[in-house]
Amino acid sequence: MGRFNTSLAGGFILVGFSDWPRLELILSIFISIFYTLTLLGNTTIIVLSQLDPRLHTPMYFFLCHLSFLDLCYTTSIVPQLLINLHGHNRTISYGGCVAQLFLFLGLASTESVLLVVMAFDRYAAVCRPLHYTTIMHPVLCLSLAIASWVGGFMNSVIQTGLMMTMPLCGRQLNHFFCEMPVLLKLACEDTGGTEAKMFVARVVILIFPVTLILGSYVHIGRAVLKSKSLAGCRKALGTCGSHLVVVSLFYGAGIYTYLQPQGSYSESKGKFVALFYTIITPMLNPLIYTLRNKDVKGVLKKILGGGRDSE
Protein backbone atom coordinates (compact mmCIF):
# COMPACT_ATOMS: atom_id res chain seq x y z
CA MET A 1 0.00 0.00 0.00
CA GLY A 2 1.28 3.44 -0.88
CA ARG A 3 -0.04 6.95 -0.88
CA PHE A 4 -0.79 8.75 -4.11
CA ASN A 5 2.37 10.82 -3.92
CA THR A 6 4.68 7.89 -3.33
CA SER A 7 7.33 7.71 -6.07
CA LEU A 8 7.25 4.07 -7.17
CA ALA A 9 9.03 3.05 -10.34
CA GLY A 10 6.07 1.04 -11.68
CA GLY A 11 3.51 3.84 -11.70
CA PHE A 12 -0.02 3.00 -12.86
CA ILE A 13 -1.18 0.65 -15.59
CA LEU A 14 -3.87 2.19 -17.81
CA VAL A 15 -6.13 -0.65 -18.96
CA GLY A 16 -7.80 1.55 -21.58
CA PHE A 17 -9.74 -0.47 -24.14
CA SER A 18 -7.55 -3.57 -23.98
CA ASP A 19 -10.63 -5.60 -22.98
CA TRP A 20 -11.87 -4.98 -26.55
CA PRO A 21 -8.76 -5.59 -28.71
CA ARG A 22 -10.71 -5.52 -31.98
CA LEU A 23 -12.07 -2.11 -31.08
CA GLU A 24 -8.68 -0.54 -30.42
CA LEU A 25 -7.64 -0.12 -34.09
CA ILE A 26 -11.01 1.41 -35.01
CA LEU A 27 -10.86 3.77 -32.04
CA SER A 28 -7.29 4.74 -32.90
CA ILE A 29 -8.30 5.76 -36.45
CA PHE A 30 -11.38 7.72 -35.41
CA ILE A 31 -9.67 9.43 -32.47
CA SER A 32 -6.77 10.50 -34.72
CA ILE A 33 -9.27 12.01 -37.18
CA PHE A 34 -11.27 13.75 -34.44
CA TYR A 35 -8.11 15.08 -32.78
CA THR A 36 -6.88 16.52 -36.10
CA LEU A 37 -10.27 18.18 -36.68
CA THR A 38 -10.18 19.57 -33.13
CA LEU A 39 -6.75 21.11 -33.71
CA LEU A 40 -7.77 22.58 -37.07
CA GLY A 41 -11.18 23.86 -35.95
CA ASN A 42 -10.12 25.53 -32.73
CA THR A 43 -6.93 26.95 -34.22
CA THR A 44 -8.99 28.40 -37.09
CA ILE A 45 -11.30 30.21 -34.67
CA ILE A 46 -8.34 31.70 -32.77
CA VAL A 47 -6.59 32.83 -35.98
CA LEU A 48 -9.73 34.31 -37.57
CA SER A 49 -10.60 36.18 -34.38
CA GLN A 50 -7.16 37.78 -34.37
CA LEU A 51 -7.03 38.61 -38.09
CA ASP A 52 -10.34 40.38 -38.67
CA PRO A 53 -11.39 43.55 -36.74
CA ARG A 54 -15.07 42.56 -37.05
CA LEU A 55 -14.37 39.72 -34.63
CA HIS A 56 -12.64 41.92 -32.05
CA THR A 57 -15.66 41.75 -29.73
CA PRO A 58 -16.19 40.31 -26.22
CA MET A 59 -18.03 37.29 -27.61
CA TYR A 60 -15.09 36.26 -29.82
CA PHE A 61 -12.57 37.18 -27.14
CA PHE A 62 -14.15 34.59 -24.85
CA LEU A 63 -14.61 32.16 -27.74
CA CYS A 64 -10.84 32.33 -28.35
CA HIS A 65 -10.27 31.37 -24.72
CA LEU A 66 -12.73 28.49 -25.10
CA SER A 67 -10.95 27.28 -28.24
CA PHE A 68 -7.55 27.50 -26.56
CA LEU A 69 -8.95 25.59 -23.57
CA ASP A 70 -10.28 22.86 -25.85
CA LEU A 71 -6.90 22.58 -27.58
CA CYS A 72 -5.11 22.12 -24.25
CA TYR A 73 -7.91 19.99 -22.79
CA THR A 74 -7.87 17.37 -25.52
CA THR A 75 -4.07 17.46 -25.92
CA SER A 76 -3.65 16.59 -22.24
CA ILE A 77 -5.42 13.25 -22.94
CA VAL A 78 -5.21 12.17 -26.61
CA PRO A 79 -1.45 11.55 -27.12
CA GLN A 80 -1.37 9.22 -24.09
CA LEU A 81 -4.57 7.54 -25.32
CA LEU A 82 -3.15 6.88 -28.80
CA ILE A 83 -0.01 5.33 -27.29
CA ASN A 84 -2.26 3.20 -25.11
CA LEU A 85 -4.39 2.06 -28.05
CA HIS A 86 -1.31 0.97 -29.99
CA GLY A 87 -0.31 -1.15 -26.98
CA HIS A 88 3.30 0.07 -26.90
CA ASN A 89 3.20 1.34 -23.34
CA ARG A 90 0.19 1.20 -21.03
CA THR A 91 1.96 2.58 -17.97
CA ILE A 92 2.04 6.09 -16.61
CA SER A 93 4.30 7.26 -13.80
CA TYR A 94 2.91 8.58 -10.52
CA GLY A 95 4.22 12.03 -11.38
CA GLY A 96 2.71 11.83 -14.85
CA CYS A 97 -0.62 10.75 -13.37
CA VAL A 98 -0.65 13.67 -10.92
CA ALA A 99 0.25 16.11 -13.71
CA GLN A 100 -2.46 14.74 -16.02
CA LEU A 101 -5.08 14.84 -13.27
CA PHE A 102 -4.11 18.40 -12.31
CA LEU A 103 -4.16 19.68 -15.91
CA PHE A 104 -7.40 17.92 -16.81
CA LEU A 105 -9.25 19.17 -13.72
CA GLY A 106 -7.81 22.67 -14.12
CA LEU A 107 -8.76 23.01 -17.79
CA ALA A 108 -12.21 21.45 -17.32
CA SER A 109 -12.93 23.66 -14.29
CA THR A 110 -11.76 26.75 -16.18
CA GLU A 111 -14.13 25.89 -19.02
CA SER A 112 -16.96 25.50 -16.52
CA VAL A 113 -16.37 29.05 -15.21
CA LEU A 114 -15.78 30.47 -18.70
CA LEU A 115 -19.15 29.18 -19.93
CA VAL A 116 -20.78 31.24 -17.16
CA VAL A 117 -18.86 34.30 -18.32
CA MET A 118 -20.01 33.70 -21.90
CA ALA A 119 -23.62 33.41 -20.68
CA PHE A 120 -23.23 36.77 -18.90
CA ASP A 121 -21.89 38.27 -22.14
CA ARG A 122 -24.99 37.03 -24.02
CA TYR A 123 -27.22 38.36 -21.22
CA ALA A 124 -25.64 41.81 -21.50
CA ALA A 125 -25.92 41.75 -25.32
CA VAL A 126 -29.60 40.75 -25.39
CA CYS A 127 -31.01 42.30 -22.21
CA ARG A 128 -28.87 45.46 -22.03
CA PRO A 129 -28.06 46.21 -25.70
CA LEU A 130 -27.76 49.99 -25.26
CA HIS A 131 -25.25 49.58 -22.42
CA TYR A 132 -23.46 46.51 -23.81
CA THR A 133 -20.23 48.22 -24.84
CA THR A 134 -20.08 50.02 -21.49
CA ILE A 135 -20.73 46.85 -19.48
CA MET A 136 -18.42 44.56 -21.47
CA HIS A 137 -15.45 46.90 -21.32
CA PRO A 138 -12.12 45.36 -22.43
CA VAL A 139 -10.76 45.65 -18.88
CA LEU A 140 -13.75 43.73 -17.50
CA CYS A 141 -13.48 41.10 -20.25
CA LEU A 142 -9.81 40.52 -19.45
CA SER A 143 -10.58 40.39 -15.71
CA LEU A 144 -13.34 37.82 -16.26
CA ALA A 145 -11.06 35.67 -18.43
CA ILE A 146 -8.28 35.76 -15.83
CA ALA A 147 -10.79 34.96 -13.07
CA SER A 148 -11.95 31.92 -15.07
CA TRP A 149 -8.42 30.54 -15.34
CA VAL A 150 -7.53 31.30 -11.71
CA GLY A 151 -10.80 29.89 -10.37
CA GLY A 152 -10.52 26.76 -12.49
CA PHE A 153 -6.98 25.92 -11.43
CA MET A 154 -7.69 26.75 -7.78
CA ASN A 155 -10.36 24.04 -7.88
CA SER A 156 -7.82 21.69 -9.45
CA VAL A 157 -5.26 22.44 -6.73
CA ILE A 158 -7.84 21.63 -4.05
CA GLN A 159 -9.08 18.39 -5.61
CA THR A 160 -5.65 17.12 -6.68
CA GLY A 161 -4.26 17.94 -3.24
CA LEU A 162 -7.06 16.03 -1.52
CA MET A 163 -6.56 13.10 -3.91
CA MET A 164 -2.87 12.94 -3.06
CA THR A 165 -3.65 12.50 0.64
CA MET A 166 -5.56 9.28 -0.02
CA PRO A 167 -3.85 5.90 0.48
CA LEU A 168 -4.20 3.86 -2.72
CA CYS A 169 -4.00 0.10 -3.18
CA GLY A 170 -3.11 -1.40 -6.55
CA ARG A 171 -1.65 -0.04 -9.76
CA GLN A 172 -4.30 -0.92 -12.35
CA LEU A 173 -6.60 1.88 -13.56
CA ASN A 174 -9.55 0.70 -15.64
CA HIS A 175 -9.48 3.81 -17.81
CA PHE A 176 -7.42 5.48 -20.54
CA PHE A 177 -6.27 8.41 -18.38
CA CYS A 178 -5.97 9.38 -14.73
CA GLU A 179 -9.52 10.47 -13.95
CA MET A 180 -10.81 11.20 -10.46
CA PRO A 181 -13.62 8.58 -10.15
CA VAL A 182 -11.29 5.77 -11.24
CA LEU A 183 -8.54 6.82 -8.83
CA LEU A 184 -11.08 6.93 -6.00
CA LYS A 185 -11.83 3.26 -6.72
CA LEU A 186 -8.26 2.45 -5.61
CA ALA A 187 -8.70 4.01 -2.17
CA CYS A 188 -7.97 1.28 0.37
CA GLU A 189 -9.05 3.04 3.57
CA ASP A 190 -12.23 4.78 4.68
CA THR A 191 -11.86 8.17 3.00
CA GLY A 192 -15.45 9.34 3.44
CA GLY A 193 -14.44 12.72 4.91
CA THR A 194 -12.00 13.52 2.10
CA GLU A 195 -14.42 12.33 -0.58
CA ALA A 196 -17.15 14.53 0.92
CA LYS A 197 -14.90 17.61 0.62
CA MET A 198 -14.08 16.69 -2.99
CA PHE A 199 -17.77 16.20 -3.77
CA VAL A 200 -18.57 19.68 -2.42
CA ALA A 201 -15.84 21.14 -4.64
CA ARG A 202 -17.32 19.35 -7.68
CA VAL A 203 -20.82 20.61 -6.85
CA VAL A 204 -19.50 24.18 -6.64
CA ILE A 205 -17.72 23.94 -10.01
CA LEU A 206 -20.63 22.20 -11.80
CA ILE A 207 -24.03 22.93 -10.24
CA PHE A 208 -23.41 26.57 -9.28
CA PRO A 209 -22.35 27.56 -12.84
CA VAL A 210 -25.30 25.67 -14.39
CA THR A 211 -27.68 27.54 -12.07
CA LEU A 212 -26.21 30.91 -13.08
CA ILE A 213 -26.36 30.02 -16.78
CA LEU A 214 -29.99 28.88 -16.59
CA GLY A 215 -30.87 32.04 -14.68
CA SER A 216 -29.26 34.24 -17.33
CA TYR A 217 -31.14 32.43 -20.09
CA VAL A 218 -34.46 32.88 -18.32
CA HIS A 219 -33.85 36.65 -18.54
CA ILE A 220 -32.68 36.32 -22.15
CA GLY A 221 -35.82 34.35 -23.04
CA ARG A 222 -38.04 37.04 -21.53
CA ALA A 223 -36.19 39.78 -23.40
CA VAL A 224 -36.49 37.91 -26.71
CA LEU A 225 -40.23 37.36 -26.23
CA LYS A 226 -40.70 41.09 -25.56
CA SER A 227 -38.62 42.13 -28.57
CA LYS A 228 -40.47 43.48 -31.60
CA SER A 229 -37.52 43.01 -33.95
CA LEU A 230 -37.71 39.69 -35.81
CA ALA A 231 -34.12 40.02 -37.08
CA GLY A 232 -32.90 40.75 -33.56
CA CYS A 233 -34.75 37.73 -32.20
CA ARG A 234 -33.19 35.46 -34.82
CA LYS A 235 -29.68 36.74 -34.13
CA ALA A 236 -30.12 36.36 -30.36
CA LEU A 237 -31.53 32.86 -30.71
CA GLY A 238 -28.69 31.90 -33.08
CA THR A 239 -25.82 32.93 -30.81
CA CYS A 240 -27.55 31.91 -27.57
CA GLY A 241 -28.68 28.60 -29.05
CA SER A 242 -25.09 27.70 -29.95
CA HIS A 243 -23.97 28.48 -26.42
CA LEU A 244 -26.78 26.41 -24.90
CA VAL A 245 -25.82 23.38 -27.01
CA VAL A 246 -22.21 23.61 -25.79
CA VAL A 247 -23.42 24.06 -22.19
CA SER A 248 -25.68 21.00 -22.43
CA LEU A 249 -22.92 18.78 -23.85
CA PHE A 250 -20.29 19.91 -21.35
CA TYR A 251 -22.28 19.96 -18.12
CA GLY A 252 -24.38 16.91 -19.00
CA ALA A 253 -21.30 14.70 -19.32
CA GLY A 254 -19.60 16.33 -16.33
CA ILE A 255 -22.57 15.90 -13.99
CA TYR A 256 -23.04 12.27 -15.08
CA THR A 257 -19.40 11.42 -14.38
CA TYR A 258 -18.56 13.47 -11.30
CA LEU A 259 -21.80 13.81 -9.32
CA GLN A 260 -23.12 10.25 -9.34
CA PRO A 261 -22.53 8.16 -6.18
CA GLN A 262 -19.09 6.57 -6.20
CA GLY A 263 -20.54 3.11 -5.62
CA SER A 264 -22.68 3.28 -8.76
CA TYR A 265 -19.90 4.52 -11.05
CA SER A 266 -19.32 2.06 -13.92
CA GLU A 267 -15.73 2.08 -15.15
CA SER A 268 -16.66 0.53 -18.51
CA LYS A 269 -19.40 3.08 -19.22
CA GLY A 270 -17.19 5.83 -17.80
CA LYS A 271 -14.54 5.21 -20.46
CA PHE A 272 -17.00 5.73 -23.31
CA VAL A 273 -18.56 8.79 -21.68
CA ALA A 274 -15.05 10.19 -21.20
CA LEU A 275 -14.38 9.68 -24.93
CA PHE A 276 -17.37 11.92 -25.59
CA TYR A 277 -16.25 14.89 -23.47
CA THR A 278 -12.50 14.60 -24.12
CA ILE A 279 -12.60 13.88 -27.88
CA ILE A 280 -15.96 14.64 -29.46
CA THR A 281 -17.10 17.78 -27.60
CA PRO A 282 -13.86 19.76 -28.24
CA MET A 283 -14.22 18.86 -31.94
CA LEU A 284 -17.88 19.90 -32.08
CA ASN A 285 -17.49 23.27 -30.34
CA PRO A 286 -15.95 25.08 -33.37
CA LEU A 287 -18.66 23.64 -35.64
CA ILE A 288 -21.47 24.59 -33.26
CA TYR A 289 -20.25 28.18 -32.97
CA THR A 290 -19.44 28.74 -36.65
CA LEU A 291 -21.99 26.82 -38.75
CA ARG A 292 -24.78 29.27 -37.86
CA ASN A 293 -22.53 32.29 -37.40
CA LYS A 294 -22.54 34.68 -40.36
CA ASP A 295 -19.66 36.77 -38.98
CA VAL A 296 -17.20 33.87 -38.81
CA LYS A 297 -18.35 32.42 -42.13
CA GLY A 298 -18.01 35.85 -43.75
CA VAL A 299 -14.45 36.32 -42.48
CA LEU A 300 -13.51 32.81 -43.58
CA LYS A 301 -14.91 33.38 -47.08
CA LYS A 302 -13.09 36.71 -47.26
CA ILE A 303 -9.73 35.12 -46.38
CA LEU A 304 -10.22 32.09 -48.63
CA GLY A 305 -11.38 34.38 -51.42
CA GLY A 306 -8.10 36.24 -51.40
CA GLY A 307 -9.27 39.31 -49.53
CA ARG A 308 -12.61 39.96 -51.26
CA ASP A 309 -15.30 40.91 -48.75
CA SER A 310 -18.21 38.56 -48.98
CA GLU A 311 -20.73 41.07 -47.74
Short mmCIF file of all heavy atoms in Angstrom, two decimals, residues 94 124 147 170 219 248 270:
data_model
loop_
_atom_site.label_atom_id
_atom_site.label_comp_id
_atom_site.label_asym_id
_atom_site.label_seq_id
_atom_site.Cartn_x
_atom_site.Cartn_y
_atom_site.Cartn_z
N TYR A 94 3.71 7.88 -11.53
CA TYR A 94 2.91 8.58 -10.52
C TYR A 94 2.93 10.09 -10.78
O TYR A 94 1.89 10.75 -10.69
CB TYR A 94 3.44 8.27 -9.11
CG TYR A 94 2.98 6.94 -8.58
CD1 TYR A 94 3.72 5.78 -8.85
CD2 TYR A 94 1.81 6.82 -7.85
CE1 TYR A 94 3.30 4.56 -8.38
CE2 TYR A 94 1.39 5.59 -7.37
CZ TYR A 94 2.14 4.46 -7.64
OH TYR A 94 1.72 3.22 -7.20
N ALA A 124 -25.86 40.37 -21.32
CA ALA A 124 -25.64 41.81 -21.50
C ALA A 124 -25.99 42.24 -22.93
O ALA A 124 -26.57 43.32 -23.14
CB ALA A 124 -24.19 42.15 -21.18
N ALA A 147 -10.08 35.58 -14.20
CA ALA A 147 -10.79 34.96 -13.07
C ALA A 147 -11.20 33.53 -13.40
O ALA A 147 -11.17 32.65 -12.52
CB ALA A 147 -12.02 35.80 -12.71
N GLY A 170 -3.06 -0.91 -5.18
CA GLY A 170 -3.11 -1.40 -6.55
C GLY A 170 -2.56 -0.39 -7.53
O GLY A 170 -2.43 0.81 -7.24
N HIS A 219 -33.75 35.21 -18.23
CA HIS A 219 -33.85 36.65 -18.54
C HIS A 219 -33.72 36.89 -20.04
O HIS A 219 -34.44 37.75 -20.60
CB HIS A 219 -32.77 37.43 -17.79
CG HIS A 219 -32.99 37.50 -16.31
ND1 HIS A 219 -33.96 38.32 -15.75
CD2 HIS A 219 -32.39 36.86 -15.28
CE1 HIS A 219 -33.94 38.19 -14.42
NE2 HIS A 219 -32.98 37.31 -14.12
N SER A 248 -25.01 22.28 -22.66
CA SER A 248 -25.68 21.00 -22.43
C SER A 248 -24.71 19.83 -22.57
O SER A 248 -24.71 18.90 -21.75
CB SER A 248 -26.85 20.83 -23.41
OG SER A 248 -27.80 21.87 -23.25
N GLY A 270 -17.93 4.58 -18.01
CA GLY A 270 -17.19 5.83 -17.80
C GLY A 270 -16.17 6.10 -18.89
O GLY A 270 -15.95 7.25 -19.29
#
